[in-house]
C-alpha cells in the first residue's frame, strides 16, 4: 500500500477521516457507501464508476492501528478488448496496519505523521479495490462490442499475416557468417 493516502483529492475528504483519538482496543466500526462521486473525486482513472459498501473496523493495539476492511459491490471499468464499460464484482477482506511515526521501515506498515490526529482512509479504500481487481478486464466471449471486435479483427489479422511473412523471409535468408564461426567454437569444446 502506498503511504500517500494524504494526497487523496476527495471533495468529501471529511467523510473518510478516522479520528485516531476515538479508537480503542475494542475497536470502532465505520461504514461508507462508495458511489460514482467517490471515483470521480479520486485522481485515478482505473475505475470509472461503482457502488460498494465498505465496513472498516479500526482497533488500537499499543501504538499500532489495525484497519480491517470489508468491501462488497460492483465497479465499472473499460473492457481491455472492446473498450466498452463492464461491471466487475468486488469482494475484499483485508487488514492494514498503521503507526504514528516520522518514518516507517516496514513495508507492511503505513506511517502516519506524528502531528496528525486522523487518517484519511479514502485512498486506502480505493487501493484495496484496485488491487483486488483481475489483471485483465474483458467481457465474456461473445459479449464485447461487435463493431469494435470487427475492426480489431481486421487490423489484428493483417498484422499477424505480416509477422508470418517476415518470419518466413528470415528463415529463407542466408545466415550471418559470424554465427558459423561461433558454432565452430562451440563444436571444438
Amino acid at each position: 500500500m502506498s503511504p500517500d493516502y494524504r494526497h487523496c483529492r476527495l471533495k468529501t475528504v471529511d467523510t473518510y477521516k478516522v479520528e485516531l483519538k476515538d479508537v480503542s482496543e475494542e475497536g470502532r466500526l465505520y461504514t461508507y457507501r462508495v458511489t460514482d462521486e467517490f471515483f470521480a473525486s479520486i485522481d485515478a482513472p482505473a475505475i470509472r464508476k461503482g457502488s460498494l459498501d465498505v465496513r472498516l473496523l479500526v482497533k488500537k493495539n499499543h501504538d499500532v492501528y489495525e484497519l480491517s476492511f470489508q468491501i462488497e459491490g460492483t465497479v465499472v471499468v473499460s473492457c481491455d478488448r472492446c473498450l466498452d464499460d463492464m461491471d466487475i464484482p468486488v469482494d475484499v477482506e483485508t487488514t492494514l496496519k498503521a503507526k504514528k511515526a516520522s518514518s516507517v521501515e516496514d513495508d507492511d506498515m503505513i506511517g502516519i505523521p506524528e502531528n496528525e490526529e486522523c487518517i484519511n482512509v479514502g485512498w486506502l479504500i480505493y487501493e484495496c479495490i484496485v488491487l483486488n481487481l483481475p489483471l485483465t478486464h474483458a467481457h465474456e466471449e461473445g459479449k464485447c462490442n461487435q463493431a469494435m471486435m470487427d475492426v480489431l479483427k481486421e487490423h489484428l489479422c493483417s498484422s499477424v499475416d505480416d509477422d508470418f511473412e517476415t518470419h518466413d523471409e528470415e528463415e529463407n535468408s542466408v545466415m550471418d557468417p559470424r554465427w558459423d564461426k561461433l558454432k565452430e567454437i562451440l563444436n571444438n569444446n
Side-chain angles (χ1 to χ4, degrees):
M1 287 288 162
S2 169
D4 295 333
Y5 65 90
R6 293 181 319 269
H7 302 294
C8 181
R9 293 181 179 90
L10 292 172
K11 293 175 185 170
T12 55
V13 73
D14 289 338
T15 304
Y16 302 98
K17 275 188 179 178
V18 172
E19 294 288 337
L20 298 175
K21 66 180 187 239
D22 296 341
V23 178
S24 65
E25 286 183 17
E26 293 83 37
R28 180 156 185 200
L29 182 65
Y30 297 85
T31 58
Y32 305 104
R33 180 80 180 144
V34 174
T35 61
D36 298 349
E37 180 185 355
F38 174 85
F39 295 109
S41 299
I42 272 212
D43 189 22
I47 301 174
R48 296 178 182 190
K49 302 176 191 171
S51 177
L52 302 114
D53 292 312
V54 178
R55 291 175 41 95
L56 169 62
L57 179 62
V58 183
K59 293 182 179 181
K60 183 178 180 182
N61 186 2
H62 300 290
D63 62 340
V64 175
Y65 296 91
E66 188 176 281
L67 296 91
S68 298
F69 292 90
Q70 286 183 314
I71 305 171
E72 290 183 54
T74 305
V75 294
V76 178
V77 297
S78 294
C79 174
D80 292 338
R81 280 187 247 160
C82 70
L83 303 178
D84 278 2
D85 285 349
M86 63 178 287
D87 293 342
I88 295 184
V90 175
D91 189 2
V92 177
E93 284 190 35
T94 191
T95 300
L96 305 172
K97 293 185 179 180
K99 180 179 184 178
K100 280 190 167 192
S102 55
S103 68
V104 177
E105 295 181 20
D106 185 354
D107 288 340
D108 296 329
M109 184 79 65
I110 298 168
I112 304 170
E114 292 180 26
N115 61 343
E116 289 195 23
E117 295 301 319
C118 63
I119 181 172
N120 183 336
V121 295
W123 187 254
L124 297 176
I125 291 170
Y126 178 78
E127 283 188 344
C128 287
I129 295 166
V130 169
L131 291 174
N132 284 280
L133 293 179
L135 290 176
T136 57
H137 312 134
H139 288 106
E140 292 179 23
E141 197 64 39
K143 300 284 185 184
C144 281
N145 177 329
Q146 193 57 48
M148 180 60 91
M149 294 309 293
D150 291 343
V151 171
L152 181 61
K153 185 176 180 182
E154 178 184 315
H155 290 288
L156 183 62
C157 290
S158 64
S159 172
V160 170
D161 290 343
D162 292 344
D163 287 345
F164 283 128
E165 288 174 16
T166 305
H167 183 52
D168 289 342
E169 290 172 9
E170 289 173 2
E171 284 183 2
N172 295 331
S173 66
V174 177
M175 187 179 287
D176 186 338
R178 292 176 289 186
W179 289 112
D180 291 334
K181 292 291 183 191
L182 289 172
K183 284 182 182 179
E184 287 176 22
I185 293 170
L186 283 174
N187 291 336
N188 289 336
N189 288 332

